[in-house]
């Protein structure tokens, strides 16, 4: 963003979608952004994280000098050895494992290691969890962090791209491909019947390939810090050794519970490449200083130190918990006293160097890293040293000055602590010292969770007195039971979602970092933190202990109340009108799709008027305005449009364009654009995620099992939409356990089966998403069985079933809609909807695995079921989309039109749109778009295309996006809408930030096409050449080599047109070397090849090079033959399919040209007229200009200054900038096809 120069910034959506830890972002100040009315919050990104987030860094790390020294040595050695060809066995050390019990301080040590790592080395922190313990899971996580510039749809696509560009997958051995597929979870095709049982990591060629891969992709050594490395799976352990062998990554690990490691892991740890360091508690010399650091004081009583020394075992984590619990109990207070007094009282005052990093130390250079804290300076009670503190000068410690001293309460007696030092006891003591109201507040908090918002707390507390609550919160903050989690309430869009506020650097307890909170007038005397809006328990144990103090009844009641709050206040974000979501916990709100009786409508209106909450839902009053009678208006628009199109051909091109714009603006109502939806600012997704996450706990706590089941299913569904597949799978597993445990008390066996079927069906989608087709098929088919409606398996049965379903469909659509449509509701309705949904999922499975007959059946069948309720918008969109795709492929356009009309009626009936419904609309519109493309209706295609693009999100899969965009560009080119083209190209191909070379190649190709067809320049020839020089033949290895072929041919054609014969030979060689498959060459490539060849022929005719002339003529003839054949295949002669008109027009134009240069003028002119005719019919502006230009040239009426206009303007200093293209007149001067010199007279 230009408003924030030199900073990597992004909007909230990018921030959320990035799925990166929050510590890498920070909020920046709002600025006015040109052209963006409501940019929302802007975040700044720093891939190393923000230093101020790491609060502990203010203090030096104590007692780990030996470990840090060893780390520095090892990494120094690793850097030195990295580029050596040969590394001695003893020197090949590329990993350090810190092993020790929990609370020994491994994480802090790892962070310190990263901190002292030189700045030029890239660092990544990776936290593993139990969930990562799947085959190669840990390894993949490390790799995806390594390629940090990714944010594509899935890791797999990233890996596949990365691999495709760093090696030639075509030349790999099957075992190598197999290894890559398994290790990186890719799907490169393997030869049939390939199987491999052995351990491929032992295969030499595989090992070499992987090492080469690492060397190719990581040019410099980088450091990966893996926290909780005990969760590494066995396969990843073996991979780790290979990674270490490559000397490209230095790995730091922290391991808890060494004893529970697997055999493989233990063997790997013994490798000579890994330095093992076992951590114990820190030396007791440091205990006092550590306690001071934790308390933020400069001196503590000697009694306290003694206790710590005897009981802690040197565990920093224990010491931290202990001193904090003392503060919570009020046993420990902090006073400011003169230094002399502290000395006199016998307090221990550690040296300031142990408490505070020096400034130089913070901007650390590893070589300058000072050799801190020798034992002599430890207890320098009489220390004279003066250290200036970082924050401000008031803390400067001078001898004779004051200092902060922790004081133990008189009454305190540590005797009991010595015997029973368990944390629970400490917490209970603290708890007992609280007032009943404070206890109540804590109980409510503990029900809400580790972190909770004040709003929900107030709801549970049911206390009217603001002041009372504030006082209690203030007390709990001051004794450090609670602390601030930091919420941003300045952009408060929902009562159930809290935006995180940036962390306050160096804040001192107690504090509140929340933004946008205010204290009421009667509480001005209380500190700001008393009004903290987003709190958390300082200590997890404190929360669990408090929670357990509640009786079962109390728990039940409070969870129920919390659930009620969530149900009542879960509304769409303000941008989306703050109305109810379509579906929440199984309850559906009316979104306009249910046909209501008049009476019901009246009742509902009365309820709305009465209910105070109706005020919240603004949309209810605004949306019905949209359409009073959708069908009638719709009809009118269609008939209007048809009239206009029929007179379209009579207009001059310039008028035509104006009309196009007019039509587009005017007729856009034909497509419901759902423009009320502000995708950029919508927070509905975040709201739902936050709510479901809490709901599950509350449903369980309140024994609302029916709701629990719904919450699980809806949450899992949401996770799939959000592409968080592991989370979805985990939830489905939990809910399956829950259903099988029979807590729901389903009396009927089939109800249980029905619920299980829903679970399996959803799991099928997860597996589809991860690419495991076989398992997905099993789950989905099993689900259909449980629905008592099994999907036929034999070919014969499929045909029979298809027949039956088709008959039903005809009846439902044409004959007796009332008999089938919208007959069911309630539970039966849901049942049918779920079957339909499963069938849609099966449709996707069948299309992806190429089983046409099955896919057809699934599509038809699903629509039949979906129509039974005719009220589930998301489902209907998918069903209509699928079936339109099916009939489109069969070229049954009439039924497509019928279905499209129905689908659009549905869209118009729909009120509001949920975030989770966007994908469905996207799917539907994309399919309607593709139908119109094939049907040859340019205007309608454009309308749907634009609508889809507006609502298209990053989750739309790449293929669909590309198909859609390529078609849009073709249409826009024919309309000469260059500016629109460029903005689409930039948005979707170039600026995506994706690592996808084929998109980039398409971008350059279309830049060339604009240059070729209009003479206007988006990217100059030399820029395109630079692109090729930089990327090389890697562009040919992308998933779709089509982009590369098109690009090469376009480059070649430019050199030919410009008469740069020598250069053209270079490109010709590239084209030859690119192995274009004859069957795959698209017709557009052929047309451009023929054009180039004919121009070459003319040149050779001028040179009178007979041999070459004969050769070229032969080649051209065979190509025309090929094209002719292609025309036969393509349904161009069907009058309705205008799709191919533009191609055929181009073909005739070149055919005419070929005849003319060979002296057959008469035939040439007749073909040219045909070309003009066709381009008029296809309304293809660009071609029409070209054909008319050519005709003028031949009959001699062309203005001579235009003859070389195109070639003159591709000179680098004479380019026509596309920005100068005048949209109003839309004039272009196309290229003049040269005539042989003896013909010209
Ligand atoms: Zn706060
Ligand atoms: Zn929203």
């Amino acid at each position: 963003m230009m408003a924030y120069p030199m900073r990597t910034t992004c909007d909230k959506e990018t921030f959320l979608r990035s799925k990166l830890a929050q510590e890498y972002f920070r909020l920046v100040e709002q600025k006015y952004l040109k052209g963006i009315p409501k940019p929302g919050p802007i975040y700044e990104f720093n891939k190393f994280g923000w230093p101020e987030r790491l609060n502990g860094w203010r203090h030096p790390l104590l007692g780990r000098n030996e470990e840090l020294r060893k780390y520095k040595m090892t990494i120094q050695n690793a850097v030195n050895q990295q580029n050596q060809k040969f590394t001695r066995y003893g020197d090949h050390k590329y990993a350090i494992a810190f092993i020790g019990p929990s609370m020994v301080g491994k994480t802090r040590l790892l962070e310190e290691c990263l901190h002292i790592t030189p700045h030029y080395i890239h660092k990544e922190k990776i936290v593993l969890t139990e969930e990562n313990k799947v085959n190669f899971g840990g390894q993949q996580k490390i790799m995806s962090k390594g390629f940090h510039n990714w944010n594509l749809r899935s890791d797999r696509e990233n890996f596949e791209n990365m691999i495709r560009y760093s090696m030639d997958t075509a030349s790999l051995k099957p075992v190598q491909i197999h290894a890559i597929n398994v290790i990186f979870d890719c799907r490169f095709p393997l030869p049939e019947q390939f199987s491999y049982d052995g351990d491929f990591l032992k295969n030499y060629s595989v090992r070499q390939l992987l090492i080469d891969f690492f060397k190719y992709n990581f040019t410099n050594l980088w450091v990966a810090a893996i926290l909780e490395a005990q969760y590494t799976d066995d396969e990843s352990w073996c991979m780790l050794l290979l990674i270490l062998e490559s000397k490209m990554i230095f790995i730091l690990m922290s391991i808890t519970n060494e004893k529970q490691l697997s055999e493989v892991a233990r063997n790997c740890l013994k490798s000579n490449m890994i330095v093992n360091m076992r951590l114990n508690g820190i030396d007791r010399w440091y205990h006092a200083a550590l306690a001071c650091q934790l308390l933020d004081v400069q001196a503590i009583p000697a009694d306290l130190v003694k206790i710590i020394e005897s009981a802690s075992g040197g565990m920093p984590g224990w010491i931290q918990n202990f001193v904090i619990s003392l503060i919570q109990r009020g046993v420990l207070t902090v006073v400011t006293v003169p230094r002399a007094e502290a000395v006199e009282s016998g307090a221990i005052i550690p040296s300031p160097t142990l408490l505070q990093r020096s400034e130089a130390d913070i901007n650390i250079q590893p070589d300058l890293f000072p050799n801190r804290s020798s034992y002599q300076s430890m207890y320098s009670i009489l220390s004279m040293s003066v250290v200036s503190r970082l924050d401000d000068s008031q803390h400067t410690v001078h001898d004779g000055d004051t200092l902060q001293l922790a004081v133990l309460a008189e009454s305190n007696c540590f005797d009991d602590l010595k015997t029973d030092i368990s944390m629970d006891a400490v917490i209970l003591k603290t708890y007992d010292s609280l007032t009943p109201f404070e206890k109540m507040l804590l109980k409510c908090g503990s029900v809400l969770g580790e972190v909770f918002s004040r709003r929900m707390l107030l709801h549970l507390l049911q206390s009217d007195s603001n002041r009372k609550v504030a006082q209690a919160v203030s007390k709990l903050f001051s004794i450090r039971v609670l602390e601030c989690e930091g919420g941003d309430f300045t952009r408060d869009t929902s009562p159930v979602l809290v935006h995180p506020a940036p962390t306050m650097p160096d804040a001192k307890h107690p504090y509140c970092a929340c933004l946008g909170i205010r204290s009421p007038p009667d509480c001005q005397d209380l500190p700001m933190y008393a009004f903290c809006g987003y709190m958390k328990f300082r200590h997890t144990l404190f929360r669990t202990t408090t929670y357990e103090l509640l009786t079962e009844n109390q728990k039940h009641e409070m969870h129920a109340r919390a659930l009620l709050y969530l149900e009542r206040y879960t509304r769409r974000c303000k941008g989306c009108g703050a109305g109810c979501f379509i579906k929440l916990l199984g309850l559906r709100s009316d979104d306009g799709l249910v046909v209501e009786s008049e009476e019901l409508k009246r009742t509902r209106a009365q309820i709305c008027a009465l209910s105070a909450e109706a005020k919240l839902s603004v949309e209810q009053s605004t949306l019905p305005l949209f359409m009073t009678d959708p069908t009638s208006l719709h009809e009118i628009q269609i008939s209007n449009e048809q009239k206009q199109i029929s007179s379209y051909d009579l207009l001059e091109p310039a008028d035509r364009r104006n009309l196009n714009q007019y039509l587009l603006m005017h007729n856009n109502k034909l497509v419901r654009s759902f423009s009320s939806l502000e995708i950029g600012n919508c927070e509905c997704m975040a709201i739902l995620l936050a709510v479901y996450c809490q709901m599950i706990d509350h449903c369980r706590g309140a024994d609302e099992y029916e709701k629990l089941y719904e919450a699980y299913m809806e949450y899992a569904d949401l996770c799939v939409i959000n592409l968080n597949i592991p989370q979805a799978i985990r939830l489905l597993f939990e809910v399956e356990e829950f259903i099988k445990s029979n807590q729901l008390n389903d009396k009927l066996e089939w109800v249980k089966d029905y619920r299980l079927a829903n679970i399996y069906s959803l799991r099928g989608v997860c597996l589809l998403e991860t690419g495991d087709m076989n398992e997905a098929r099993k789950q989905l088919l099993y689900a259909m069985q449980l629905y008592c409606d099994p999907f036929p398996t034999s070919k014969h049965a499929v045909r029979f079933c298809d027949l039956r379903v088709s008959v039903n469909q005809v009846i439902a659509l044409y004959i007796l809609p009332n008999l089938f449509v919208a007959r069911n509701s309630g539970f039966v309705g849901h049942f049918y909807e779920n079957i339909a949904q499963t069938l849609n999922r099966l449709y996707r499975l069948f299309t992806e695995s190429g089983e046409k007959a099955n896919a057809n059946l699934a599509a038809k069948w699903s629509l039949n079921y979906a129509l039974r309720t005719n009220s589930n918008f998301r489902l209907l969109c998918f069903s209509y989309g699928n079936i339109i795709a099916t009939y489109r492929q069969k070229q049954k356009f009439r039924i497509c039109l019928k279905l499209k009309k129905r689908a659009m009626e549905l869209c118009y009936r729909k009120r509001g749109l949920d975030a989770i419904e966007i994908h469905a609309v996207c799917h539907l519109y994309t399919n309607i778009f593709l139908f119109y493309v094939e049907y040859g209706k340019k205007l309608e295609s454009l309308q749907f295309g634009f609508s889809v693009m507006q609502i298209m999100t990053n989750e739309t899969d790449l293929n669909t996006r590309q198909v859609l965009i390529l078609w849009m560009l073709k249409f826009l080119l024919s309309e000469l809408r260059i500016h629109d083209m460029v903005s689409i190209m930039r948005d979707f191909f170039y600026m995506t930030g994706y690592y996808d070379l084929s998109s980039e190649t398409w971008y350059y190709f279309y830049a060339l096409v604009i240059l070729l067809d209009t003479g206007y320049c988006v990217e100059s020839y030399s820029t395109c050449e630079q692109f090729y020089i930089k990327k090389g033949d890697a562009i040919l290895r992308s998933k779709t080599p089509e982009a590369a072929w098109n690009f090469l041919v376009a480059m070649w054609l430019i050199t030919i047109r410009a008469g740069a014969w020598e250069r053209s030979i270079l490109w010709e060689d590239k084209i030859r070397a690119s192995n274009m498959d004859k069957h795959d060459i698209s017709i557009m490539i052929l047309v451009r090849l023929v054009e180039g060849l004919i121009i070459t022929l003319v040149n050779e005719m001028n040179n009178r090079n007979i041999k070459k002339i004969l050769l070229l003529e032969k080649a051209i003839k065979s190509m025309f033959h090929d094209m002719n054949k292609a025309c036969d295949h393509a349904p161009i002669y069907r009058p309705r399919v205008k799709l191919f008109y533009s191609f055929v027009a181009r073909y005739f134009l070149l055919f005419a040209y070929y005849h003319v240069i060979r002296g057959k003028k008469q035939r040439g002119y007749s073909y040219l007229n045909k070309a003009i005719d066709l381009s008029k019919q296809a309304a293809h502006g660009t071609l029409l200009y070209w054909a008319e230009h050519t005709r003028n040239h031949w009959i001699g009426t062309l203005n001579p200054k235009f003859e070389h206009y195109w070639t003159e303007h591709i000179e680098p200093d004479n380019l026509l900038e596309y920005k100068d293209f005048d949209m109003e007149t839309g004039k272009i001067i196309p290229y003049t096809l040269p005539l042989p010199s003896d013909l010209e007279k």
Side-chain angles (χ1 to χ4, degrees), residues 321-341:
N321 288 342
F322 179 66
V323 292
I324 286 172
S325 73
L326 290 181
I327 294 188
Q328 286 173 345
R329 289 170 55 201
V331 177
L332 210 56
T333 46
V334 177
V335 292
T336 307
V337 294
R339 172 171 284 265
E341 193 177 309

Side-chain angles (χ1 to χ4, degrees), residues 1018-1124:
V1018 182
E1019 301 286 345
S1020 68
Y1021 171 83
S1022 57
T1023 321
C1024 297
E1025 200 180 43
Q1026 279 301 317
F1027 162 71
Y1028 182 76
I1029 291 169
K1030 224 165 104 193
K1031 302 289 171 172
D1033 292 328
I1035 60 171
L1036 284 165
R1037 294 203 291 264
S1038 83
K1039 222 175 199 166
T1040 46
E1042 237 186 294
W1045 294 343
N1046 273 302
F1047 173 77
L1048 290 176
V1049 171
M1051 288 298 274
W1052 172 75
L1053 186 56
I1054 287 206
T1055 54
I1056 297 259
R1057 278 191 183 184
W1061 304 108
E1062 297 197 344
R1063 264 201 204 172
S1064 78
I1065 290 170
L1066 289 178
W1067 290 112
E1068 207 178 311
D1069 290 343
K1070 301 263 185 239
I1071 294 172
R1072 262 187 241 285
S1074 70
N1075 283 326
M1076 278 189 212
D1077 189 347
K1078 215 176 169 193
H1079 299 286
D1080 278 359
I1081 298 184
S1082 83
I1083 232 152
M1084 283 314 289
I1085 298 188
L1086 266 179
V1087 176
R1088 292 193 206 281
L1089 279 173
V1090 164
E1091 186 194 330
L1093 287 179
I1094 303 180
I1095 298 169
T1096 323
L1097 176 66
V1098 171
N1099 184 45
E1100 297 301 342
M1101 283 164 94
N1102 292 343
N1103 296 342
R1104 305 192 186 282
N1105 189 339
I1106 305 289
K1107 214 169 135 193
K1108 278 222 168 138
I1109 292 175
L1110 288 175
L1111 218 73
L1112 279 166
E1113 278 187 345
K1114 202 175 146 209
I1116 294 167
K1117 261 186 202 156
S1118 92
M1119 283 181 130
F1120 271 122
H1121 182 72
D1122 280 352
M1123 279 197 276
N1124 218 335

Side-chain angles (χ1 to χ4, degrees), residues 572-577 581 677-678 681-685 687 913 915:
R572 292 186 192 145
C573 67
K574 275 190 184 149
C576 295
F581 281 102
L677 198 76
E678 286 184 64
N681 287 321
C682 175
E683 293 185 314
C684 296
M685 207 61 186
I687 291 174
L913 193 71

Side-chain angles (χ1 to χ4, degrees), residues 880-1015:
Y880 275 122
N882 291 344
I883 198 139
I884 288 175
T886 308
Y887 284 122
R888 184 195 82 223
Q889 281 154 11
K890 292 188 182 170
Q891 310 257 332
K892 291 189 177 169
F893 295 137
R894 271 179 66 124
I895 189 153
C896 282
L897 270 180
K898 173 97 186 162
L899 289 164
K900 180 233 129 194
K901 205 178 135 207
R902 289 250 176 168
M904 290 319 294
E905 280 168 19
L906 172 82
C907 288
Y908 275 106
R909 273 214 326 260
K910 170 83 176 153
R911 258 187 269 141
L913 193 71
D914 266 13
I916 57 166
E917 291 168 328
I918 297 172
H919 299 78
V921 179
C922 228
H923 177 82
L924 175 67
Y925 281 14
T926 311
N927 277 307
I928 297 181
F929 168 80
L930 291 174
F931 151 66
Y932 271 127
V933 167
E934 226 161 285
Y935 192 36
K937 297 270 188 189
K938 195 163 69 179
L939 289 179
E940 286 87 339
S941 307
L942 280 175
Q943 284 167 13
F944 276 96
F946 276 124
S947 304
V948 182
M949 282 184 162
Q950 268 164 26
I951 51 176
M952 199 151 53
T953 56
N954 284 341
E955 273 105 39
T956 321
D957 77 304
L958 208 66
N959 249 347
T960 320
R961 285 166 68 114
Q962 247 179 22
V963 169
L964 194 107
I965 292 159
L966 293 179
W967 273 113
M968 287 296 284
L969 288 175
K970 275 182 200 159
F971 289 140
L972 289 173
L973 179 69
S974 77
E975 297 273 305
L976 274 170
R977 289 167 66 175
I978 299 177
H979 295 267
D980 288 341
M981 282 182 79
V982 174
S983 75
I984 290 179
M985 281 156 60
R986 298 237 155 118
D987 280 2
F988 287 89
F989 288 154
Y990 198 59
M991 305 267 280
T992 45
Y994 294 157
Y995 192 76
D996 182 58
L997 201 48
S998 75
S999 288
E1000 214 179 330
T1001 316
W1002 281 121
Y1003 171 80
Y1004 282 104
F1005 168 66
Y1006 268 95
L1008 288 169
V1009 165
I1010 294 177
L1011 186 61
L1012 281 169
D1013 283 5
T1014 70

Side-chain angles (χ1 to χ4, degrees), residues 484 512-514 532-534:
C484 176
C512 170
C514 295
C532 177
Y534 201 38

Side-chain angles (χ1 to χ4, degrees), residues 216-439:
Y216 183 88
N217 284 300
F218 304 120
T219 38
N220 293 313
L221 185 83
W222 62 282
V223 178
I226 310 173
L227 295 172
E228 312 287 341
Q230 68 272 18
Y231 293 122
T232 315
D233 54 291
D234 287 353
E235 287 78 9
S236 294
W237 269 112
C238 299
M239 267 307 281
L240 279 186
L241 291 189
L242 202 65
I243 292 173
L244 297 179
E245 218 170 282
S246 76
K247 300 198 282 187
M248 300 314 296
I249 309 178
F250 190 94
I251 296 179
L252 280 165
M253 309 184 245
S254 73
I255 297 176
T256 320
N257 277 338
E258 192 188 7
K259 291 210 176 76
Q260 282 167 23
L261 288 179
S262 69
E263 189 68 38
V264 180
R266 256 181 278 174
N267 280 335
C268 289
L269 262 184
K270 282 183 198 145
S271 155
N272 70 296
M273 294 182 282
I274 305 177
V275 181
N276 289 326
M277 282 192 222
R278 289 191 169 64
L279 299 185
N280 290 314
I282 56 171
D283 198 290
R284 62 196 196 91
W285 294 108
Y286 294 100
H287 293 178
L290 181 61
C292 284
Q293 281 190 1
L294 294 165
L295 294 167
D296 223 346
V297 297
Q298 285 96 50
I300 57 169
D303 277 359
L304 185 60
V305 178
K306 269 183 221 142
I307 295 280
I308 292 177
E309 279 175 5
S310 61
S312 72
M315 296 300 204
W318 190 95
I319 298 175
Q320 177 174 346
N321 288 342
F322 179 66
V323 292
I324 286 172
S325 73
L326 290 181
I327 294 188
Q328 286 173 345
R329 289 170 55 201
V331 177
L332 210 56
T333 46
V334 177
V335 292
T336 307
V337 294
R339 172 171 284 265
E341 193 177 309
V343 174
E344 207 165 294
S345 72
I348 292 171
I349 310 174
S351 150
T353 48
L354 293 180
L355 300 185
Q356 187 68 45
R357 277 185 204 272
S358 65
E359 201 145 349
D361 200 5
I362 287 177
N363 308 316
I364 203 151
Q365 288 298 319
D367 314 332
L368 301 175
F369 193 61
N371 218 344
R372 287 198 298 246
S373 50
S374 61
Y375 283 4
Q376 289 80 10
S377 64
M378 279 294 305
Y379 285 96
S380 52
I381 298 176
L382 300 169
S383 161
M384 296 289 174
S385 66
V386 175
V387 174
S388 76
R389 295 188 54 143
L390 253 186
D391 358 5
D392 44 37
S393 54
Q394 91 179 52
H395 292 293
T396 309
V397 183
H398 289 289
D399 196 24
D401 208 331
T402 58
L403 50 68
Q404 267 124 343
L405 170 70
V407 187
L408 284 166
E410 295 275 309
S411 61
N412 185 63
C413 163
F414 279 120
D415 293 341
D416 52 342
L417 271 180
K418 274 177 196 154
T419 51
D420 176 22
I421 202 89
S422 85
M423 269 305 143
D424 302 32
V426 179
I427 285 169
L428 279 175
K429 281 197 166 197
T430 312
Y431 187 80
D432 286 341
S433 67
L434 299 175
T435 69
F437 187 75
E438 287 158 0
K439 281 182 191 167

Side-chain angles (χ1 to χ4, degrees), residues 1141-1142 1144-1145 1148 1169-1180:
Y1141 278 18
S1142 61
V1144 182
F1148 280 142
N1169 285 335
K1170 274 190 190 172
I1172 293 176
D1173 253 17
L1174 277 171
S1175 30
K1176 265 187 194 161
Q1177 282 188 45
H1180 199 298

